[in-house]
Amino acid sequence: MQNKTDKRIRLKKKIRVRIKGTSERPRLSVFRSNKFIYAQVIDDITGRTLAQASDLKITKGTKTDRAKELGKTIGQICLKEKISQVVFDRNGFKYTGRIKLVADEARASGLKF
């Protein structure tokens, strides 16, 4: 019997076959743990991380509030780095809850998916 982690990793591999980040349109990868959420903007061609943010330093609010703040932060960092378009990678997680909040707030900050 498979556990949820094995299933998510299998889904992640399927998604990564279809999604590639380029220098013009890098990949916005979001990872969610039980306590925290992390976001990275990655150029897969060169293998470089162009921007990253997490909610480790955000101490106030609920997990959903921190996810919204993370989405705003990664959107602002990308715009400072002159990145306006990204490909969203949900990293095998369902597109609901905190993952969706990060994506929505990044879009509201000015990123185009």
Side-chain angles (χ1 to χ4, degrees):
M1 186 167 156
Q2 293 180 342
N3 61 19
K4 289 183 180 182
T5 304
D6 292 338
K7 186 176 179 180
R8 187 187 68 80
I9 290 172
R10 211 174 59 243
L11 276 172
K12 178 181 174 178
K13 288 180 182 178
K14 284 183 180 180
I15 292 169
R16 287 286 289 123
V17 168
R18 293 177 293 194
I19 296 176
K20 299 284 184 224
T22 63
S23 56
E24 297 85 30
R25 199 166 176 194
R27 175 172 55 99
L28 173 59
S29 177
V30 178
F31 178 78
R32 177 184 59 85
S33 70
N34 287 336
K35 290 186 178 182
F36 302 107
I37 192 161
Y38 310 87
Q40 290 184 330
V41 179
I42 304 163
D43 179 3
D44 288 323
I45 294 173
T46 61
R48 286 185 40 224
T49 300
L50 305 174
Q52 62 88 23
S54 69
D55 69 344
L56 291 172
K57 296 180 182 175
I58 305 170
T59 58
K60 294 187 179 182
T62 62
K63 290 180 188 178
T64 55
D65 293 338
R66 295 193 322 244
K68 288 179 185 178
E69 187 64 32
L70 176 67
K72 289 178 192 174
T73 304
I74 197 70
Q76 292 167 355
I77 291 171
C78 286
L79 293 178
K80 283 181 190 175
E81 295 289 327
K82 298 181 181 172
I83 300 168
S84 60
Q85 291 187 339
V86 295
V87 177
F88 188 72
D89 179 11
R90 59 188 173 94
N91 223 348
F93 294 104
K94 291 182 180 178
Y95 188 74
T96 59
R98 292 186 287 158
I99 301 291
K100 185 174 188 270
L101 287 174
V102 170
D104 290 344
E105 290 297 323
R107 274 192 203 103
S109 296
L111 281 181
K112 294 177 185 165
F113 289 29

